[in-house]
Amino acid sequence: MATLTINGNKVEFEPGTTVLQLAIDTGLEIPHYCYHQSMSAPANCRICLAEIWQPNPRNDGKLESLGKLVPTCSTPAADGMIVYTDSPKAIANQKSVMELLLINHPVDCPVCDQAGECHLQDYSYQYGRGQSRFQEDKNKQPKKDLGPNVLLYSDRCIMCTRCVRFTREVTGTAELMVEGRGSQNQIDVFPGLALDNELSANVIDLCPVGALLDKDFLFQQRVWFLKKTPSIDGITASGDNIYVEHNEGTIYRVKPRRNDEINQWWITDELRYGWKFVHAEDRYVMPSVLGEDPFEINQAREAWSIGMTETNRIASAAVEGGETFAVLVSPMLSCEDAYHLARWALRIDPGAIFGVGPVPVHGESKTFPGGYTICNEKAPNARGVRRVLTALCGSAPLEFDEFTSAVEGSVGCVLTTGNYPSSWVSDRFAAAVGSTPLVMIDTLPNQLSERASVILPSSTWLEKSGTFENVSGRLQSFNRAITPIDFCKNESQIALELIALLDGVSPAIFDPAKTRSEMASVSGLASLAEAEQPVETAALAESDLELVDF
Ligand code: SF4
Ligand code: FES
């Protein structure tokens, strides 16, 4: 295999890669700004330059210097190459580049959102000269509103052009351009255009400095306070990999997590900002029982106890009266939730009717020139819910319309689950439920709330662990990012407590890993044992094993 040496480290490689990419792949650091693996390499920032020696076949393979410093981001790796980014010449270049980039930079780190995750800060510390020799006045450049999600602070821009290339090569929308010349260079939108495409906010992550800012996150939190939990898209069926960034039980932002086979480096703005319902003011946070006064904060334990007892009583009474129990399992729930809910419902009524909640589909899926696809199915786990219910019940669950028809017929009790980002109940379904005894396990109010006998507040996907099956059948597990809001519980835990109540025993604590191995022993669910796990799983999984008890 071909080898080359970077700063004394011998590295093997397959031909077709560049020196910088090889360094990145092998964990060797070469500073870079303009280069991003997903796009073309313009080699314009010049900080990655290296002194390179290479065997010359026309001179008996003797090592010869390439003469001047060359950009590692656009130089193909070649067998026998010797690369120095720590030679005196290379270091002098790094210091010069940093000095040039900082000449007109306002150095306003104390008020910059990027502080703490800024490549200009980091490289200034690692490769800069530590002080400025610039005595003249700095150029002042304007702040610009580029579109619905993105602000540009032009005087922080280092003109790497990553953002411009993103709109040309990845989205194909080409809203951004470089305007002006020399030190007056600025990024701007073309006249009459806004940076307003479905992936627009990815430029914020791409920007190596604090020039492109997220309007939604602006001045919300210093990044060093944020904890990062790896998770999965819980809004659509894409299965996009994400990081959820949070502090003290509050979500502050969602960012893409690289997965070359699913979402590459990107997520949609829909997913990036679609988690807001987690902290919605009108969220259910306390159980409620029809006919009972609203429970106070100090009555949470009692509220859950009454709500659970009443749920089992209503459902059992219907079955004892010779009627059927109808259970609607939302495609927003995890496979684990579907499994425990179905186990509980089958205990109440072995002949229970199961349906899958509505699966919203918005137009067609759309693939961008860069290969990223926006999924038109706006629920994360319809396939997983169908898979689990089919395995447990021996036949496929009813789709929402069929389930509505079944409820229109005659059932003795309806249990609905939701967890959608907004109200999901259709007029037809509301009419079908009519005055049938109804239990809701949900997050947000809907038009059935007033008539529900019991409402149990459930946790969103960011407050629990579980597994989703995406649009291409890929099973991916995710970890809980924050503890459940107020007095909410995840659907798995609710089902486990309902089962324990039937058995007159103490409830088990929901253990996602144990549930997956339990499920895997059910015919048709063996693949759940092989669900892909998020990277940093161990420490976070621990947090799921606390019993939510008030
Ligand atoms: S705004 Fe950011 S990403 Fe765009 S050119 Fe400037 S530094 Fe690069
Ligand atoms: S990363 Fe090589 S020139 Fe910018």
Side-chain angles (χ1 to χ4, degrees):
M1 186 179 268
T3 58
L4 60 64
T5 306
I6 302 175
N7 298 336
N9 300 288
K10 201 162 189 177
V11 184
E12 293 188 337
F13 66 95
E14 294 289 346
T17 188
T18 60
V19 173
L20 176 56
Q21 188 57 55
L22 183 59
I24 292 170
D25 292 344
T26 48
L28 298 170
E29 182 171 301
I30 297 180
H32 57 282
Y33 282 121
C34 66
Y35 180 73
H36 191 278
Q37 297 171 50
S38 64
M39 296 183 291
S40 59
N44 62 13
C45 76
R46 315 308 284 177
I47 199 167
C48 74
L49 302 199
E51 202 174 330
I52 295 184
W53 294 67
Q54 195 173 346
N56 185 351
R58 280 174 288 181
N59 189 12
D60 295 334
K62 287 203 179 106
L63 272 182
E64 286 182 5
S65 165
L66 297 190
K68 56 188 183 175
L69 294 174
V70 292
T72 54
C73 60
S74 57
T75 302
D79 195 18
M81 243 180 192
I82 312 282
V83 179
Y84 297 103
T85 62
D86 57 0
S87 70
K89 258 164 101 180
I91 290 173
N93 172 70
Q94 289 154 8
K95 289 193 188 305
S96 300
V97 170
M98 287 310 303
E99 185 172 30
L100 184 72
L101 292 177
L102 289 168
I103 275 182
N104 283 309
H105 190 278
V107 198
D108 55 348
C109 307
V111 295
C112 178
D113 268 355
Q114 190 89 358
E117 54 182 12
C118 175
H119 283 65
L120 203 55
Q121 275 186 334
D122 294 347
Y123 288 171
S124 182
Y125 182 69
Q126 285 172 268
Y127 304 101
R129 66 173 65 239
Q131 65 189 62
S132 173
R133 294 177 294 174
F134 190 68
Q135 305 288 329
E136 293 77 9
D137 289 340
K138 290 179 185 249
N139 277 346
K140 299 260 184 321
Q141 294 200 337
K143 297 179 175 61
K144 296 176 189 168
D145 187 348
L146 296 187
N149 302 313
V150 185
L151 284 176
L152 168 66
Y153 281 34
S154 303
D155 50 12
R156 294 179 189 158
C157 174
I158 59 165
M159 212 44 72
C160 70
T161 70
R162 280 184 177 194
C163 54
V164 175
R165 280 175 284 139
F166 176 80
T167 64
R168 294 184 187 176
E169 298 170 20
V170 179
T171 62
T173 47
E175 299 100 330
L176 294 178
M177 61 166 174
V178 178
E179 184 226 25
R181 308 179 74 181
S183 65
Q184 297 299 324
N185 258 186
Q186 284 181 34
I187 298 298
D188 211 339
V189 281
F190 278 99
L193 286 185
L195 178 60
D196 188 10
N197 61 67
E198 295 94 331
L199 303 180
S200 72
N202 288 289
V203 296
I204 301 161
D205 307 327
L206 273 178
C207 183
V209 300
L212 293 173
L213 298 166
D214 189 339
K215 285 184 187 176
D216 188 65
F217 182 68
L218 196 68
F219 307 137
Q220 292 301 305
Q221 188 82 179
R222 302 312 319 219
V223 298
W224 49 86
F225 292 133
L226 295 174
K227 289 148 209 86
K228 266 175 150 183
T229 304
S231 188
I232 302 295
D233 180 354
I235 304 280
T236 79
S238 71
D240 283 3
N241 289 204
I242 55 172
Y243 278 114
V244 182
E245 300 195 358
H246 52 94
N247 184 25
E248 297 184 345
T250 301
I251 313 278
Y252 284 94
R253 62 181 181 182
V254 163
K255 285 184 158 244
R257 180 161 56 94
R258 182 182 175 190
N259 186 322
D260 292 342
E261 291 165 8
I262 302 178
N263 53 306
Q264 305 165 4
W265 302 80
W266 325 119
I267 54 171
T268 57
D269 293 357
E270 178 186 25
L271 172 57
R272 190 181 294 266
Y273 305 113
W275 52 269
K276 294 299 179 73
F277 74 102
V278 173
H279 296 298
E281 296 225 322
D282 58 346
R283 235 188 101 169
Y284 290 131
V285 292
M286 178 74 86
S288 65
V289 176
L290 200 65
E292 296 269 352
D293 288 337
F295 294 102
E296 301 291 334
I297 285 179
N298 60 1
Q299 295 176 299
R301 185 192 290 253
E302 187 188 349
W304 272 105
S305 169
I306 295 174
M308 296 282 201
T309 307
E310 194 61 6
T311 298
N312 273 339
R313 189 193 67 73
I314 295 168
S316 302
V319 180
E320 280 155 19
E323 296 187 283
T324 312
F325 184 26
V327 179
L328 188 67
V329 183
S330 168
M332 307 302 289
L333 304 193
S334 66
C335 294
E336 291 82 346
D337 291 336
Y339 173 74
H340 287 303
L341 279 170
R343 280 197 320 123
W344 164 71
L346 289 169
R347 276 286 305 275
I348 299 268
D349 181 4
I353 299 171
F354 287 92
V356 179
V359 183
V361 175
H362 296 177
E364 298 289 321
S365 292
K366 175 176 168 184
T367 300
F368 286 91
Y372 178 89
T373 299
I374 294 183
C375 183
N376 63 346
E377 194 175 305
K378 306 303 178 189
N381 195 34
R383 284 158 194 76
V385 166
R386 286 188 198 114
R387 181 197 288 254
V388 170
L389 294 181
T390 304
L392 254 64
C393 310
S395 60
L398 302 177
E399 292 303 316
F400 186 56
D401 280 348
E402 300 166 325
F403 184 83
T404 306
S405 301
V407 173
E408 270 166 352
S410 177
V411 296
C413 177
V414 178
L415 177 125
T416 63
T417 52
N419 228 320
Y420 293 86
S422 57
S423 178
W424 58 271
V425 174
S426 66
D427 290 346
R428 184 180 161 219
F429 184 68
V433 172
S435 56
T436 310
L438 170 69
V439 175
M440 284 172 51
I441 302 178
D442 217 328
T443 43
L444 293 171
N446 60 49
Q447 52 184 304
L448 287 172
S449 302
E450 294 293 307
R451 72 183 79 162
S453 306
V454 180
I455 299 174
L456 301 176
S458 60
S459 327
T460 63
W461 98 102
L462 297 179
E463 300 154 65
K464 62 184 169 192
S465 298
T467 305
F468 289 152
E469 180 173 349
N470 82 346
V471 68
S472 44
R474 206 162 165 148
L475 285 159
Q476 299 181 97
S477 294
F478 54 93
N479 285 328
R480 183 169 94 179
I482 56 171
T483 50
I485 302 284
D486 289 354
F487 306 108
C488 297
K489 296 188 186 194
N490 65 65
E491 288 84 348
S492 295
Q493 186 63 47
I494 294 172
L496 285 168
E497 292 184 26
L498 287 166
I499 293 171
L501 207 54
L502 291 175
D503 292 339
V505 297
S506 300
I509 304 167
F510 169 53
D511 181 337
K514 191 167 154 229
T515 301
R516 280 192 290 277
S517 62
E518 226 178 276
M519 281 195 281
S521 64
V522 177
S523 167
L525 297 183
S527 52
L528 260 303
E530 266 95 56
E532 294 162 49
Q533 300 297 311
V535 249
E536 302 113 72
T537 199
L540 293 154
E542 291 284 307
S543 63
D544 287 302
L545 302 177
E546 299 156 14
L547 180 59
V548 183
D549 187 12
F550 309 109

